[in-house]
Amino acid sequence: DPIGPTKTEINHTVEPGEEIRLSYPVNVKSSTSEDVYYTPLSLSWETYGADSTTLQIGIEVKGDINLGISSISTDPSEVRSGDDNIKISVSVENSGEATAHNIRADLQLTGGFTPSYSKSESAYLGKLVSSESQATAFYIDVAENTTPGKYSIPIELVYADDDGRENTVAKAVDLLVEPRPYFKVASVRL
């Protein structure tokens, strides 16, 4: 049973017509999936004798959304300054318990990195349920004057939760820009 037992005692006299609010802790196992679980609520009281009743109450269990980047690759595999139309393949994964809706991924390109064409730095992924991942691709150009080295390009994951609230998660895509090969002509024979 995903909902564990709890017991709360209230020692309070309730007058006729008086309303009281009862609150009690509920223990939910961490691996419980999102759903509404019905659990018994036993109430007992004393008036002129002991009396009791059991009600079935619904407890809605909501999980968290945890979006992350599970894999990254580039085509070509070696990226150099001056390269155009580089495909960056990214897998976005939901390792949380709840479903993420209307997911959009946006590379935040700056410096020597620009989109290869209009909106090639953005992707729409739709929804990801718990433990699901989806691949997407971005296309970028690297300026001629970009210094070789490792670059961390921010990626923004925007999604809606089950209540329609928009959330944003900031991650990064690491990209290694290799130096251009340098050839020096020592001599020419004709």
Side-chain angles (χ1 to χ4, degrees), residues 21-172:
R21 178 180 292 253
L22 303 174
S23 62
Y24 56 93
V26 175
N27 298 317
V28 179
K29 293 179 184 174
S30 62
S31 60
T32 302
S33 59
E34 282 197 321
D35 206 346
V36 175
Y37 295 89
Y38 290 91
T39 187
L41 173 63
S42 298
L43 299 172
S44 59
W45 62 90
E46 290 182 21
T47 52
Y48 300 107
D51 203 354
S52 67
T53 188
T54 301
L55 307 170
Q56 290 290 324
I57 61 167
I59 297 176
E60 183 178 19
V61 175
K62 289 190 160 218
D64 291 326
I65 296 170
N66 188 13
L67 294 182
I69 307 296
S70 58
S71 69
I72 303 166
S73 64
T74 62
D75 185 19
S77 58
E78 290 187 357
V79 177
R80 300 187 191 286
S81 38
D83 285 353
D84 289 334
N85 223 19
I86 297 163
K87 180 181 181 181
I88 300 176
S89 298
V90 174
S91 285
V92 177
E93 180 180 26
N94 180 5
S95 60
E97 303 87 20
T99 300
H101 303 273
N102 301 321
I103 304 167
R104 189 180 73 245
D106 297 308
L107 283 179
Q108 308 294 308
L109 299 175
T110 59
F113 304 100
T114 57
S116 294
Y117 52 87
S118 179
K119 297 294 183 189
S120 68
E121 79 282 12
S122 296
Y124 178 75
L125 295 140
K127 76 175 184 175
L128 288 176
V129 298
S130 176
S131 302
E132 188 176 38
S133 66
Q134 184 172 333
T136 191
F138 306 97
Y139 292 87
I140 66 167
D141 298 337
V142 181
E144 283 284 345
N145 61 350
T146 302
T147 306
K150 183 179 175 184
Y151 292 86
S152 186
I153 300 173
I155 184 169
E156 196 173 75
L157 303 172
V158 180
Y159 66 92
D161 59 23
D162 285 332
D163 296 325
R165 288 186 302 260
E166 190 172 277
N167 301 274
T168 303
V169 176
K171 298 290 182 182

